[in-house]
Amino acid sequence: MYYDNLPVWGFVGKVEKIIPNSGEPQYRYYVFTHMSFDIKYNGDRVIEINVLTDPAHVADVSEGAELPTVAFTYSVKWVPTTIPYEDRLQRYERFPLNPVHLEIHWFSIINSCVTVLLLTGFLATILLRVLKADFVKFSRGEDGAPNHSSPSLEFEEEESGWKYVHGDVFRFPPGKAIFAAFVGTGTQVLTLSFFIFGLSLIGVFYPYNRGALFTAMIVLPYC
């Protein structure tokens, strides 16, 4: 249960194990009928909620037992505190049931980005040199003079790799409309993913605000 994005934890019952002198052990199940809520507040904001149960107020709901008519009750105690609203979640960060807020290792991220950029630069340099040599070869004839006509038979025999499809690069594919729709939608989804990832890195999304990330994924494309 949550109240003002604060998790509220408590026990709703208990189990008792009865070991007889002979035979298998038996289990009795009880439900707490009274709960006490201790709520700490600072001004008009709730800072902490604790749930306490009274073992003296229970109802037996074991199998085979006659179910009584149960009246559930609760009590609330308001306690003022000086803990600021910004620090109210520090108490819950120690519990393993909460989502773990991982520390971002900026040095590793920057190191990875620089490595990718360097490798991309090296690959682009190699490709530019290879393509430049091929362009020069195709734009000149056998005697070294510029040749704007089709390549000779010798050059056609030497064609390999990407040169087989160089004439199909600028050819329109079939179904241009649906192809453009797919490319546009994919670009939008990719841009949205990077944008939300960037907002998550800088801490825009509240870690315990459930559904904020999914709401942003639905709302942002229409903004």
Side-chain angles (χ1 to χ4, degrees), residues 88-172:
R88 66 173 187 164
L89 291 178
Q90 292 183 357
R91 170 178 178 267
Y92 299 94
E93 292 178 353
R94 300 189 301 268
F95 292 93
L97 297 178
N98 276 337
V100 180
H101 187 64
L102 300 178
E103 182 181 358
I104 301 175
H105 299 279
W106 291 106
F107 179 77
S108 300
I109 295 177
I110 296 175
N111 187 24
S112 301
C113 294
V114 172
T115 303
V116 171
L117 291 177
L118 289 177
L119 293 177
T120 305
F122 293 153
L123 181 61
T125 303
I126 296 173
L127 289 177
L128 286 176
R129 290 185 177 181
V130 173
L131 294 178
K132 183 178 180 181
D134 291 336
F135 289 152
V136 172
K137 184 186 299 183
F138 275 97
S139 62
R140 295 181 179 275
E142 295 181 356
D143 56 353
N147 182 15
H148 300 287
S149 60
S150 60
S152 62
L153 181 60
E154 179 182 356
F155 290 116
E156 291 180 358
E157 294 177 353
E158 294 178 356
E159 288 185 353
S160 61
W162 68 273
K163 302 172 189 177
Y164 285 115
V165 296
H166 71 276
D168 298 332
V169 173
F170 299 103
R171 182 179 300 173
F172 283 107

